[in-house]
């Protein structure tokens, strides 16, 4: 059973960069056919897809966040990461990592989520 | 890339059936057979309930079913149970390696 676990600071100051890592266990991130994703949920709101990465490094982002988002992968550590720059209070959210079973918007495995608050 | 449109809330009594709609465009829901549905309890991660419009992952009760007509997808829950009370989200592949979620629907079991 694949498991995902987010980690990173729970508090980030405005204008700084939010950095999170998703560690994958129970399976290799290098297994072909799966797309690894970041998704966020503002407090009391709906889900927002942030972006995908493939194990080979190909990245694809939500157009509304593209200018500030970088997703990277480290296959040797079996994890992938999210960086969101120039954050504001509007970036306060629970951030989830998830696995899509083949670029089909079918997120079958999720991390438990981590709350990131942007505040000075 | 606008969010898919879902009703904010639906309700039903135990044993009844409820249907949640998810409306998009020909660029997402209508353009691909890659629509999924998620169940989310408070402070929990979403759980995949339906993918590829109609398929159920192993372990999901067959009371949950999905369908699609044109630009609108639907999730139907039959034989409603108290434990089905949760938030439900649809999601669709939207082309160019992107996905988009719906705004979510709160299901209340009366």
């Amino acid at each position: 059973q694949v498991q995902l676990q987010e980690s990173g600071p729970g508090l980030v100051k405005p204008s700084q960069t939010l950095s999170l890592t998703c560690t994958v266990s129970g399976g290799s991130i290098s297994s072909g056919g799966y797309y690894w994703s970041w998704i966020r949920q503002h407090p009391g709101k709906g889900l927002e897809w942030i972006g995908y990465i493939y194990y080979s490094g190909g990245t694809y982002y939500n157009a509304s966040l593209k200018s500030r988002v970088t997703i990277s992968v480290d296959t040797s550590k079996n994890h992938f990461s999210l960086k969101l720059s120039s954050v504001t209070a509007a970036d306060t959210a629970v951030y989830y990592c998830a696995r899509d079973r083949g670029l089909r918007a079918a997120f079958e495995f999720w991390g438990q989520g981590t709350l990131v608050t942007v505040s000075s | 890339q606008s969010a898919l449109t879902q009703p904010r809330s639906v309700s039903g009594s135990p044993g009844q059936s409820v249907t949640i709609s998810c409306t998009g465009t020909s660029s997402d829901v209508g353009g691909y057979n890659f629509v999924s549905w998620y169940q989310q309890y408070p402070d929990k991660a979403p759980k995949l309930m339906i993918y590829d419009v109609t398929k159920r992952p192993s372990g999901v009760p067959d009371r949950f079913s999905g369908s699609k007509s044109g630009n609108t997808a639907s999730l139907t829950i039959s034989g409603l149970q108290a434990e089905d009370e949760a938030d439900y989200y649809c999601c669709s592949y939207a082309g160019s390696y992107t996905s988009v979620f719906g705004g979510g629907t709160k299901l209340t079991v009366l």
Side-chain angles (χ1 to χ4, degrees), chain A residues 60-108:
Chain A
Y60 313 93
Y61 302 131
N62 186 324
S64 68
L65 297 168
K66 188 173 184 177
S67 63
R68 298 194 292 129
V69 172
T70 302
I71 299 176
S72 58
V73 64
D74 187 334
T75 54
S76 67
K77 295 181 179 178
N78 218 37
H79 74 209
F80 62 106
S81 300
L82 169 71
K83 290 188 185 300
L84 182 65
S85 64
S86 305
V87 297
T88 69
D91 294 308
T92 293
V94 174
Y95 286 78
Y96 294 99
C97 56
R99 189 183 87 171
D100 185 350
R101 53 188 299 168
L103 206 65
R104 297 149 74 173
F107 302 100
E108 57 183 341

Side-chain angles (χ1 to χ4, degrees), chain A residues 41 49 52 96 103-105 107, chain B residues 36 38 40 52 89 97 99:
Chain A
Q41 186 169 33
W49 175 79
Y52 283 120
Y96 294 99
L103 206 65
R104 297 149 74 173
F107 302 100
Chain B
S36 55
Y38 302 85
Q40 186 181 35
D52 292 357
Y89 294 90
Y97 296 84
S99 290

Side-chain angles (χ1 to χ4, degrees), chain A residues 35 37-39 47-52 60-64 100 102-107, chain B residues 1-4 27-28 32 34-36 38 90-102:
Chain A
Y35 286 76
S37 190
W38 287 98
I39 295 160
L47 299 166
E48 179 180 28
W49 175 79
I50 297 172
Y52 283 120
Y60 313 93
Y61 302 131
N62 186 324
S64 68
D100 185 350
L103 206 65
R104 297 149 74 173
F107 302 100
Chain B
Q1 190 179 36
S2 299
L4 307 175
S27 297
D28 38 61
Y32 307 92
F34 296 142
V35 176
S36 55
Y38 302 85
C90 62
C91 184
S92 176
Y93 180 67
S96 301
Y97 296 84
T98 66
S99 290
V100 61
F101 282 93

